[in-house]
Structures are given as C-alpha cells and as structure tokens.
Amino acid sequence: MKPILIIFSFVFLIFTIKSDAQESVDSLIVDFGNSLEEVFLYSDEGKFMEMFDDEGFIEKIIYVDSTNFKLRMFNKGFKESVNDIFTKIMMQDIGEDDYYNFINYTIDEEERILLRFRLYSEEGLNYHEYLLAGNDSIGYNISDLYNYLTGEFLSETLKRLYDFTSSSIRKREVSIEDSLNMQAISMFIYADKMLKNGMIDDAREMIESIPE
C-alpha cells in the first residue's frame, strides 16, 4: 500500500472513532434532556432530585468551617431549605397549561454542558439552561440552573442570600446587622415551611421580599 493511502486510512480511522464517540456523548446528553422534560411533564419531584447534584450545588454556595458549630448547623438547615425550595418552585413554575420542552444543548467556551429548555406560559416566554456535571463514563446530573430573566445562575442568587444571612456566624462576632440577618433567616425558614404545606405562591412572595 502506498504511504499516502496508509496515512489517509489512518486519518479516516481516527475520524471515525472520534465521530462515533461524539455521537455516543450526544445521545447520552439528549437522552438526559428528554428524561428531564418527562420529569417536569409528570411533576416527579423524586426523580428530579435523583438527577440533581445537590451536594455539588451547595458547595458553590456555602462556606465550610468544621470548627464552627453554629455555622455547621446553619449550613445543614440552609441545605435542606434550598433543596425543598429549588425543587418545588421549579415544579410549580410550570403550570398544567404551560408548555415546557427540551430544545437542545450547547457547550460553552468553558466546555460546560448546558441543556436549554423553553417555557411558554400566560406570563410569556422564558428560557432555562441546566448546567450538567459528569461525563459519558459516570453519567450526568444537574449542577445548576441559569435563568434568562435574572441573567445569572441560581447558585449565584442563593450565594448572595447565604453570604448575607451567615455573615455574623462566619465572623463569630455580633454585628449591627444581626437583627436583619436573623429576620432574613427566619423568612427563609418560614418560606420553606410554606412550601411543605403547599403554599407555593406565598412562599415565593416571602423569598422575594427578603431584604438584600
């Protein structure tokens, strides 16, 4: 065989292997997106939590100090509240007459995989992008949510809330903002209780009224 044919055959083989691998990855990501669409169609909160990397999500938000007992307890309550609020509000935001579907996925300049969903409702058109973690070997899960209306990831929104409400605990000192911090914490916990009692709209209003 002539050298040029050998080189051409080798390049073609590599290209074919890469194409097959990419098709496999594409298939896994698209299947995940379709499964997530079905989760919202049937309001399956349990399945959603199985697809959600809650530990990775919380790690983006909280500050860890194993020597600070109050902070450890605060983090534990914050995590439980965030999981409830994230799941229930996402499910309730999509009404029975709304249309929520998986459109496609993109890989950004940081090589992050984002699933794009479109929401049609009485309030108009909105888009969400779910940030995926993992790979084709271990599988994928949701690690964050980007909201076009707010222009930021949900973890960024919640981190501001966390930093505000936990500042005095992290510093281990009493500040003049303590009363406001405790008020915000109480409102956040109360909103979580509302969600557990099915008071979705009231909980959302409570969260939106928490001072910045």
Side-chain angles (χ1 to χ4, degrees):
M1 183 180 290
K2 294 181 179 180
I4 187 67
L5 291 178
I6 294 175
I7 294 173
F8 177 79
S9 299
F10 182 70
V11 171
F12 179 77
L13 177 61
I14 292 176
F15 178 79
T16 301
I17 292 173
K18 286 185 176 180
S19 297
D20 290 344
Q22 185 58 47
E23 286 182 7
S24 176
V25 172
D26 287 343
S27 178
L28 286 171
I29 297 172
V30 170
D31 286 346
F32 187 95
N34 289 331
S35 296
L36 184 58
E37 179 179 325
E38 190 172 280
V39 164
F40 282 105
L41 177 63
Y42 295 104
S43 299
D44 190 341
E45 294 182 11
K47 182 63 176 177
F48 180 84
M49 288 307 300
E50 292 177 10
M51 302 172 76
F52 176 47
D53 178 16
D54 58 326
E55 293 293 339
F57 181 72
I58 289 294
E59 285 178 3
K60 300 177 185 180
I61 302 171
I62 66 172
Y63 176 80
V64 177
D65 180 357
S66 60
T67 66
N68 190 331
F69 176 77
K70 289 184 178 179
L71 182 62
R72 295 205 313 270
M73 293 300 100
F74 180 86
N75 286 345
K76 180 181 179 181
F78 188 88
K79 176 182 176 180
E80 292 173 354
S81 297
V82 164
N83 285 344
D84 284 339
I85 288 173
F86 182 73
T87 306
K88 287 184 171 61
I89 285 185
M90 280 305 304
M91 292 295 174
Q92 292 299 324
D93 269 349
I94 304 168
E96 293 182 1
D97 298 326
D98 296 342
Y99 184 65
Y100 194 62
N101 69 307
F102 168 53
I103 305 174
N104 54 30
Y105 80 89
T106 59
I107 300 178
D108 67 10
E109 63 278 0
E110 298 179 30
E111 297 189 352
R112 299 180 302 184
I113 301 172
L114 294 154
L115 299 181
R116 182 170 296 142
F117 276 70
R118 175 173 51 201
L119 172 63
Y120 286 110
S121 68
E122 293 182 355
E123 298 178 358
L125 179 65
N126 189 14
Y127 291 89
H128 297 144
E129 286 188 340
Y130 295 91
L131 179 64
L132 296 191
N135 55 55
D136 57 314
S137 298
I138 63 174
Y140 296 95
N141 49 32
I142 300 163
S143 64
D144 214 331
L145 166 70
Y146 184 84
N147 191 323
Y148 278 68
L149 290 182
T150 62
E152 64 181 2
F153 283 99
L154 180 61
S155 62
E156 295 172 328
T157 304
L158 291 177
K159 182 166 179 55
R160 288 201 306 276
L161 172 64
Y162 174 85
D163 288 344
F164 175 77
T165 55
S166 67
S167 60
S168 62
I169 300 174
R170 286 185 284 120
K171 294 175 182 177
R172 304 189 187 200
E173 61 185 24
V174 177
S175 71
I176 59 174
E177 297 177 340
D178 274 354
S179 59
L180 288 176
N181 287 348
M182 291 309 299
Q183 179 187 11
I185 294 170
S186 298
M187 292 172 72
F188 192 74
I189 294 173
Y190 191 54
D192 181 40
K193 291 180 180 179
M194 287 180 175
L195 282 173
K196 291 177 179 177
N197 290 313
M199 303 165 65
I200 307 299
D201 292 336
D202 292 334
R204 184 181 292 107
E205 289 180 7
M206 177 68 72
I207 292 170
E208 291 175 350
S209 67
I210 293 176
E212 297 182 358

